[in-house]
Amino acid sequence: MSVLSAFAEAMSSGVVEVVDLTTPLQESTPILELPAPFANTSRFRLEELSRYDDRGPAWYWNDIHTGEHTGTHLDAPNHWVTGRAGPDVSQVPMRTLVAPVAVIDRTAEVARDPDYLLEVADLEAWQTEHGPLPDGGWLLYRTGWEAHGATQEEFMNADDAGPHTPGVSTECARWIAEQSPLTGFGVETVGTDAGAAGGFDPPFSCHHFLMGANRWGLTSLRNLGRVPTTGAVLVVCPLPIVGGSGSPARVLALVER
Ligand code: MN
């Protein structure tokens, strides 16, 4: 039997399950909010054009208003100044869009400390236990933060000192970008950087190092608890926005039961 025939049979028999890792897109979907004087991205919004009425008697349709970095989305290397010469979101390699995926779970640690940072030693220990990170694949960082996704306030978890959300240390970001075989890194939070990363050196070090090394980012992922530590395949579907720095994306995992 051909590989794809076997795959199709595994899909229809339920041996392979498709898990949706995407946050639904609506006006309430949390987005990044930067302090003044920086420009901010748009909330997702539908603008109704017609709904079986005199504007279009037999059809319903909308214009959509959105930022590139709204909701579950893909960060392209050219999103950051360190990757400004890199590919835009329309140029993402097909092998990045369909690729093996690994998961590291720090739900318990983040429940105790929302500012928790993943370190290089955590990834080295992960590899000792589970084998090498997938070559050309994705690492998804499970933190349980999806449980805070109901409101903007809870998702940002900010106080006078700024947002408190988990991320990776500067050294860990550098390691992912320069030492790992990964094509990209995905998170449950609003961005790949920790809430406190504006104060890191360099600031927003996850963006700095990953984008600078032509790696890709995924944010606002959900259902990571349904993706096994190893062995699943990620399917990432951004819009091919020519010249774009990112795109809202439907993100799926193919999981073998
Ligand atoms: Mn982004």
mmCIF file with all atom_site columns, all heavy atoms in Angstrom, residues 1 10 42 55 75-76 91 98 108 112 118 127-128 149-150 174 183 191 206 221 241:
data_model
loop_
_atom_site.group_PDB
_atom_site.id
_atom_site.type_symbol
_atom_site.label_atom_id
_atom_site.label_alt_id
_atom_site.label_comp_id
_atom_site.label_asym_id
_atom_site.label_entity_id
_atom_site.label_seq_id
_atom_site.pdbx_PDB_ins_code
_atom_site.Cartn_x
_atom_site.Cartn_y
_atom_site.Cartn_z
_atom_site.occupancy
_atom_site.B_iso_or_equiv
_atom_site.pdbx_formal_charge
_atom_site.auth_seq_id
_atom_site.auth_comp_id
_atom_site.auth_asym_id
_atom_site.auth_atom_id
_atom_site.pdbx_PDB_model_num
ATOM 1   N N   . MET A 1 1   ? 0.844   -1.192 0.000  1.00 0.00 ? 1   MET A N   1
ATOM 2   C CA  . MET A 1 1   ? 0.000   0.000  0.000  1.00 0.00 ? 1   MET A CA  1
ATOM 3   C C   . MET A 1 1   ? 0.887   1.253  0.000  1.00 0.00 ? 1   MET A C   1
ATOM 4   O O   . MET A 1 1   ? 1.899   1.290  0.686  1.00 0.00 ? 1   MET A O   1
ATOM 5   C CB  . MET A 1 1   ? -0.899  -0.009 1.252  1.00 0.00 ? 1   MET A CB  1
ATOM 6   C CG  . MET A 1 1   ? -1.959  1.070  1.241  1.00 0.00 ? 1   MET A CG  1
ATOM 7   S SD  . MET A 1 1   ? -2.886  1.139  2.796  1.00 0.00 ? 1   MET A SD  1
ATOM 8   C CE  . MET A 1 1   ? -3.854  -0.355 2.706  1.00 0.00 ? 1   MET A CE  1
ATOM 9   N N   . ALA A 1 10  ? -5.811  5.407  7.625  1.00 0.00 ? 10  ALA A N   1
ATOM 10  C CA  . ALA A 1 10  ? -5.639  5.709  9.051  1.00 0.00 ? 10  ALA A CA  1
ATOM 11  C C   . ALA A 1 10  ? -6.517  6.883  9.480  1.00 0.00 ? 10  ALA A C   1
ATOM 12  O O   . ALA A 1 10  ? -7.042  6.918  10.606 1.00 0.00 ? 10  ALA A O   1
ATOM 13  C CB  . ALA A 1 10  ? -4.164  6.025  9.336  1.00 0.00 ? 10  ALA A CB  1
ATOM 14  N N   . SER A 1 42  ? -4.445  45.515 14.764 1.00 0.00 ? 42  SER A N   1
ATOM 15  C CA  . SER A 1 42  ? -5.905  45.575 14.845 1.00 0.00 ? 42  SER A CA  1
ATOM 16  C C   . SER A 1 42  ? -6.483  44.300 15.448 1.00 0.00 ? 42  SER A C   1
ATOM 17  O O   . SER A 1 42  ? -5.967  43.209 15.232 1.00 0.00 ? 42  SER A O   1
ATOM 18  C CB  . SER A 1 42  ? -6.504  45.723 13.441 1.00 0.00 ? 42  SER A CB  1
ATOM 19  O OG  . SER A 1 42  ? -6.097  46.915 12.853 1.00 0.00 ? 42  SER A OG  1
ATOM 20  N N   . ARG A 1 55  ? -28.690 44.323 -0.252 1.00 0.00 ? 55  ARG A N   1
ATOM 21  C CA  . ARG A 1 55  ? -27.291 44.491 -0.641 1.00 0.00 ? 55  ARG A CA  1
ATOM 22  C C   . ARG A 1 55  ? -26.752 43.243 -1.357 1.00 0.00 ? 55  ARG A C   1
ATOM 23  O O   . ARG A 1 55  ? -25.648 43.265 -1.909 1.00 0.00 ? 55  ARG A O   1
ATOM 24  C CB  . ARG A 1 55  ? -26.426 44.782 0.593  1.00 0.00 ? 55  ARG A CB  1
ATOM 25  C CG  . ARG A 1 55  ? -26.814 46.068 1.322  1.00 0.00 ? 55  ARG A CG  1
ATOM 26  C CD  . ARG A 1 55  ? -26.104 46.185 2.651  1.00 0.00 ? 55  ARG A CD  1
ATOM 27  N NE  . ARG A 1 55  ? -26.442 45.082 3.531  1.00 0.00 ? 55  ARG A NE  1
ATOM 28  C CZ  . ARG A 1 55  ? -25.816 44.802 4.675  1.00 0.00 ? 55  ARG A CZ  1
ATOM 29  N NH1 . ARG A 1 55  ? -24.801 45.549 5.074  1.00 0.00 ? 55  ARG A NH1 1
ATOM 30  N NH2 . ARG A 1 55  ? -26.191 43.785 5.410  1.00 0.00 ? 55  ARG A NH2 1
ATOM 31  N N   . ASP A 1 75  ? 4.650   33.973 12.634 1.00 0.00 ? 75  ASP A N   1
ATOM 32  C CA  . ASP A 1 75  ? 5.633   35.060 12.508 1.00 0.00 ? 75  ASP A CA  1
ATOM 33  C C   . ASP A 1 75  ? 6.646   34.677 11.435 1.00 0.00 ? 75  ASP A C   1
ATOM 34  O O   . ASP A 1 75  ? 7.283   33.624 11.533 1.00 0.00 ? 75  ASP A O   1
ATOM 35  C CB  . ASP A 1 75  ? 6.435   35.226 13.815 1.00 0.00 ? 75  ASP A CB  1
ATOM 36  C CG  . ASP A 1 75  ? 5.679   35.941 14.916 1.00 0.00 ? 75  ASP A CG  1
ATOM 37  O OD1 . ASP A 1 75  ? 4.611   36.524 14.668 1.00 0.00 ? 75  ASP A OD1 1
ATOM 38  O OD2 . ASP A 1 75  ? 6.204   35.918 16.056 1.00 0.00 ? 75  ASP A OD2 1
ATOM 39  N N   . ALA A 1 76  ? 6.824   35.529 10.437 1.00 0.00 ? 76  ALA A N   1
ATOM 40  C CA  . ALA A 1 76  ? 7.847   35.296 9.414  1.00 0.00 ? 76  ALA A CA  1
ATOM 41  C C   . ALA A 1 76  ? 9.165   35.939 9.845  1.00 0.00 ? 76  ALA A C   1
ATOM 42  O O   . ALA A 1 76  ? 9.168   36.895 10.624 1.00 0.00 ? 76  ALA A O   1
ATOM 43  C CB  . ALA A 1 76  ? 7.397   35.879 8.082  1.00 0.00 ? 76  ALA A CB  1
ATOM 44  N N   . GLN A 1 91  ? 6.544   33.391 1.491  1.00 0.00 ? 91  GLN A N   1
ATOM 45  C CA  . GLN A 1 91  ? 7.689   32.608 1.027  1.00 0.00 ? 91  GLN A CA  1
ATOM 46  C C   . GLN A 1 91  ? 8.033   31.461 1.962  1.00 0.00 ? 91  GLN A C   1
ATOM 47  O O   . GLN A 1 91  ? 9.099   30.855 1.840  1.00 0.00 ? 91  GLN A O   1
ATOM 48  C CB  . GLN A 1 91  ? 8.904   33.543 0.869  1.00 0.00 ? 91  GLN A CB  1
ATOM 49  C CG  . GLN A 1 91  ? 8.689   34.612 -0.196 1.00 0.00 ? 91  GLN A CG  1
ATOM 50  C CD  . GLN A 1 91  ? 9.739   35.706 -0.159 1.00 0.00 ? 91  GLN A CD  1
ATOM 51  O OE1 . GLN A 1 91  ? 10.217  36.104 0.897  1.00 0.00 ? 91  GLN A OE1 1
ATOM 52  N NE2 . GLN A 1 91  ? 10.107  36.188 -1.337 1.00 0.00 ? 91  GLN A NE2 1
ATOM 53  N N   . VAL A 1 98  ? 4.344   21.816 6.809  1.00 0.00 ? 98  VAL A N   1
ATOM 54  C CA  . VAL A 1 98  ? 3.970   20.429 7.155  1.00 0.00 ? 98  VAL A CA  1
ATOM 55  C C   . VAL A 1 98  ? 5.242   19.768 7.665  1.00 0.00 ? 98  VAL A C   1
ATOM 56  O O   . VAL A 1 98  ? 6.153   19.482 6.879  1.00 0.00 ? 98  VAL A O   1
ATOM 57  C CB  . VAL A 1 98  ? 3.401   19.673 5.941  1.00 0.00 ? 98  VAL A CB  1
ATOM 58  C CG1 . VAL A 1 98  ? 2.973   18.265 6.358  1.00 0.00 ? 98  VAL A CG1 1
ATOM 59  C CG2 . VAL A 1 98  ? 2.227   20.426 5.331  1.00 0.00 ? 98  VAL A CG2 1
ATOM 60  N N   . ALA A 1 108 ? 2.887   22.757 34.902 1.00 0.00 ? 108 ALA A N   1
ATOM 61  C CA  . ALA A 1 108 ? 2.953   22.809 36.368 1.00 0.00 ? 108 ALA A CA  1
ATOM 62  C C   . ALA A 1 108 ? 3.820   23.972 36.843 1.00 0.00 ? 108 ALA A C   1
ATOM 63  O O   . ALA A 1 108 ? 3.457   24.700 37.779 1.00 0.00 ? 108 ALA A O   1
ATOM 64  C CB  . ALA A 1 108 ? 3.499   21.485 36.915 1.00 0.00 ? 108 ALA A CB  1
ATOM 65  N N   . ARG A 1 112 ? 2.737   27.769 38.891 1.00 0.00 ? 112 ARG A N   1
ATOM 66  C CA  . ARG A 1 112 ? 3.350   28.345 40.106 1.00 0.00 ? 112 ARG A CA  1
ATOM 67  C C   . ARG A 1 112 ? 3.960   29.710 39.840 1.00 0.00 ? 112 ARG A C   1
ATOM 68  O O   . ARG A 1 112 ? 4.036   30.549 40.746 1.00 0.00 ? 112 ARG A O   1
ATOM 69  C CB  . ARG A 1 112 ? 4.443   27.397 40.635 1.00 0.00 ? 112 ARG A CB  1
ATOM 70  C CG  . ARG A 1 112 ? 3.910   26.105 41.237 1.00 0.00 ? 112 ARG A CG  1
ATOM 71  C CD  . ARG A 1 112 ? 4.997   25.367 41.997 1.00 0.00 ? 112 ARG A CD  1
ATOM 72  N NE  . ARG A 1 112 ? 6.044   24.847 41.127 1.00 0.00 ? 112 ARG A NE  1
ATOM 73  C CZ  . ARG A 1 112 ? 6.020   23.626 40.569 1.00 0.00 ? 112 ARG A CZ  1
ATOM 74  N NH1 . ARG A 1 112 ? 4.997   22.822 40.782 1.00 0.00 ? 112 ARG A NH1 1
ATOM 75  N NH2 . ARG A 1 112 ? 7.004   23.229 39.801 1.00 0.00 ? 112 ARG A NH2 1
ATOM 76  N N   . LEU A 1 118 ? 11.773  29.043 30.071 1.00 0.00 ? 118 LEU A N   1
ATOM 77  C CA  . LEU A 1 118 ? 12.421  27.810 29.642 1.00 0.00 ? 118 LEU A CA  1
ATOM 78  C C   . LEU A 1 118 ? 13.912  28.082 29.459 1.00 0.00 ? 118 LEU A C   1
ATOM 79  O O   . LEU A 1 118 ? 14.298  29.132 28.927 1.00 0.00 ? 118 LEU A O   1
ATOM 80  C CB  . LEU A 1 118 ? 11.797  27.373 28.313 1.00 0.00 ? 118 LEU A CB  1
ATOM 81  C CG  . LEU A 1 118 ? 11.894  25.913 27.881 1.00 0.00 ? 118 LEU A CG  1
ATOM 82  C CD1 . LEU A 1 118 ? 11.174  25.000 28.865 1.00 0.00 ? 118 LEU A CD1 1
ATOM 83  C CD2 . LEU A 1 118 ? 11.292  25.774 26.482 1.00 0.00 ? 118 LEU A CD2 1
ATOM 84  N N   . GLN A 1 127 ? 15.847  16.292 25.409 1.00 0.00 ? 127 GLN A N   1
ATOM 85  C CA  . GLN A 1 127 ? 16.477  15.453 24.375 1.00 0.00 ? 127 GLN A CA  1
ATOM 86  C C   . GLN A 1 127 ? 17.070  14.180 24.966 1.00 0.00 ? 127 GLN A C   1
ATOM 87  O O   . GLN A 1 127 ? 17.045  13.122 24.322 1.00 0.00 ? 127 GLN A O   1
ATOM 88  C CB  . GLN A 1 127 ? 17.546  16.242 23.618 1.00 0.00 ? 127 GLN A CB  1
ATOM 89  C CG  . GLN A 1 127 ? 16.960  17.361 22.770 1.00 0.00 ? 127 GLN A CG  1
ATOM 90  C CD  . GLN A 1 127 ? 17.949  17.894 21.751 1.00 0.00 ? 127 GLN A CD  1
ATOM 91  O OE1 . GLN A 1 127 ? 17.833  17.634 20.559 1.00 0.00 ? 127 GLN A OE1 1
ATOM 92  N NE2 . GLN A 1 127 ? 18.941  18.630 22.229 1.00 0.00 ? 127 GLN A NE2 1
ATOM 93  N N   . THR A 1 128 ? 17.584  14.259 26.180 1.00 0.00 ? 128 THR A N   1
ATOM 94  C CA  . THR A 1 128 ? 18.106  13.059 26.841 1.00 0.00 ? 128 THR A CA  1
ATOM 95  C C   . THR A 1 128 ? 16.986  12.043 27.032 1.00 0.00 ? 128 THR A C   1
ATOM 96  O O   . THR A 1 128 ? 17.170  10.837 26.857 1.00 0.00 ? 128 THR A O   1
ATOM 97  C CB  . THR A 1 128 ? 18.727  13.433 28.199 1.00 0.00 ? 128 THR A CB  1
ATOM 98  O OG1 . THR A 1 128 ? 19.797  14.357 27.969 1.00 0.00 ? 128 THR A OG1 1
ATOM 99  C CG2 . THR A 1 128 ? 19.267  12.206 28.921 1.00 0.00 ? 128 THR A CG2 1
ATOM 100 N N   . GLY A 1 149 ? -7.243  32.475 28.064 1.00 0.00 ? 149 GLY A N   1
ATOM 101 C CA  . GLY A 1 149 ? -7.546  33.129 26.793 1.00 0.00 ? 149 GLY A CA  1
ATOM 102 C C   . GLY A 1 149 ? -8.927  33.744 26.670 1.00 0.00 ? 149 GLY A C   1
ATOM 103 O O   . GLY A 1 149 ? -9.267  34.274 25.619 1.00 0.00 ? 149 GLY A O   1
ATOM 104 N N   . ALA A 1 150 ? -9.737  33.692 27.733 1.00 0.00 ? 150 ALA A N   1
ATOM 105 C CA  . ALA A 1 150 ? -11.116 34.182 27.607 1.00 0.00 ? 150 ALA A CA  1
ATOM 106 C C   . ALA A 1 150 ? -11.185 35.697 27.469 1.00 0.00 ? 150 ALA A C   1
ATOM 107 O O   . ALA A 1 150 ? -12.054 36.218 26.767 1.00 0.00 ? 150 ALA A O   1
ATOM 108 C CB  . ALA A 1 150 ? -11.945 33.735 28.797 1.00 0.00 ? 150 ALA A CB  1
ATOM 109 N N   . ARG A 1 174 ? 18.524  31.845 21.969 1.00 0.00 ? 174 ARG A N   1
ATOM 110 C CA  . ARG A 1 174 ? 19.712  31.762 21.112 1.00 0.00 ? 174 ARG A CA  1
ATOM 111 C C   . ARG A 1 174 ? 20.011  30.302 20.737 1.00 0.00 ? 174 ARG A C   1
ATOM 112 O O   . ARG A 1 174 ? 20.359  29.984 19.595 1.00 0.00 ? 174 ARG A O   1
ATOM 113 C CB  . ARG A 1 174 ? 20.923  32.379 21.832 1.00 0.00 ? 174 ARG A CB  1
ATOM 114 C CG  . ARG A 1 174 ? 22.171  32.448 20.969 1.00 0.00 ? 174 ARG A CG  1
ATOM 115 C CD  . ARG A 1 174 ? 23.410  32.629 21.819 1.00 0.00 ? 174 ARG A CD  1
ATOM 116 N NE  . ARG A 1 174 ? 23.545  33.952 22.389 1.00 0.00 ? 174 ARG A NE  1
ATOM 117 C CZ  . ARG A 1 174 ? 24.209  34.950 21.808 1.00 0.00 ? 174 ARG A CZ  1
ATOM 118 N NH1 . ARG A 1 174 ? 24.799  34.771 20.654 1.00 0.00 ? 174 ARG A NH1 1
ATOM 119 N NH2 . ARG A 1 174 ? 24.284  36.114 22.405 1.00 0.00 ? 174 ARG A NH2 1
ATOM 120 N N   . THR A 1 183 ? 12.738  24.243 12.712 1.00 0.00 ? 183 THR A N   1
ATOM 121 C CA  . THR A 1 183 ? 12.333  25.299 11.778 1.00 0.00 ? 183 THR A CA  1
ATOM 122 C C   . THR A 1 183 ? 11.541  26.388 12.478 1.00 0.00 ? 183 THR A C   1
ATOM 123 O O   . THR A 1 183 ? 11.483  27.521 12.004 1.00 0.00 ? 183 THR A O   1
ATOM 124 C CB  . THR A 1 183 ? 11.511  24.734 10.605 1.00 0.00 ? 183 THR A CB  1
ATOM 125 O OG1 . THR A 1 183 ? 11.398  25.731 9.586  1.00 0.00 ? 183 THR A OG1 1
ATOM 126 C CG2 . THR A 1 183 ? 10.110  24.294 11.037 1.00 0.00 ? 183 THR A CG2 1
ATOM 127 N N   . GLY A 1 191 ? 2.548   36.077 22.156 1.00 0.00 ? 191 GLY A N   1
ATOM 128 C CA  . GLY A 1 191 ? 3.752   36.167 21.331 1.00 0.00 ? 191 GLY A CA  1
ATOM 129 C C   . GLY A 1 191 ? 4.751   35.137 21.804 1.00 0.00 ? 191 GLY A C   1
ATOM 130 O O   . GLY A 1 191 ? 4.598   34.562 22.896 1.00 0.00 ? 191 GLY A O   1
ATOM 131 N N   . CYS A 1 206 ? 13.597  36.326 21.999 1.00 0.00 ? 206 CYS A N   1
ATOM 132 C CA  . CYS A 1 206 ? 13.131  35.177 21.201 1.00 0.00 ? 206 CYS A CA  1
ATOM 133 C C   . CYS A 1 206 ? 12.916  35.619 19.748 1.00 0.00 ? 206 CYS A C   1
ATOM 134 O O   . CYS A 1 206 ? 13.384  34.966 18.815 1.00 0.00 ? 206 CYS A O   1
ATOM 135 C CB  . CYS A 1 206 ? 11.850  34.589 21.802 1.00 0.00 ? 206 CYS A CB  1
ATOM 136 S SG  . CYS A 1 206 ? 11.384  33.012 21.066 1.00 0.00 ? 206 CYS A SG  1
ATOM 137 N N   . LEU A 1 221 ? -1.561  29.268 20.474 1.00 0.00 ? 221 LEU A N   1
ATOM 138 C CA  . LEU A 1 221 ? -1.980  27.895 20.186 1.00 0.00 ? 221 LEU A CA  1
ATOM 139 C C   . LEU A 1 221 ? -2.815  27.347 21.334 1.00 0.00 ? 221 LEU A C   1
ATOM 140 O O   . LEU A 1 221 ? -2.669  27.775 22.484 1.00 0.00 ? 221 LEU A O   1
ATOM 141 C CB  . LEU A 1 221 ? -0.741  27.006 19.974 1.00 0.00 ? 221 LEU A CB  1
ATOM 142 C CG  . LEU A 1 221 ? 0.123   27.379 18.768 1.00 0.00 ? 221 LEU A CG  1
ATOM 143 C CD1 . LEU A 1 221 ? 1.443   26.609 18.811 1.00 0.00 ? 221 LEU A CD1 1
ATOM 144 C CD2 . LEU A 1 221 ? -0.618  27.092 17.458 1.00 0.00 ? 221 LEU A CD2 1
ATOM 145 N N   . ILE A 1 241 ? 0.345   36.099 2.164  1.00 0.00 ? 241 ILE A N   1
ATOM 146 C CA  . ILE A 1 241 ? 0.327   37.564 2.009  1.00 0.00 ? 241 ILE A CA  1
ATOM 147 C C   . ILE A 1 241 ? 1.681   38.018 1.450  1.00 0.00 ? 241 ILE A C   1
ATOM 148 O O   . ILE A 1 241 ? 2.701   37.923 2.148  1.00 0.00 ? 241 ILE A O   1
ATOM 149 C CB  . ILE A 1 241 ? 0.054   38.248 3.366  1.00 0.00 ? 241 ILE A CB  1
ATOM 150 C CG1 . ILE A 1 241 ? -1.287  37.766 3.947  1.00 0.00 ? 241 ILE A CG1 1
ATOM 151 C CG2 . ILE A 1 241 ? 0.095   39.765 3.202  1.00 0.00 ? 241 ILE A CG2 1
ATOM 152 C CD1 . ILE A 1 241 ? -1.501  38.177 5.406  1.00 0.00 ? 241 ILE A CD1 1
#
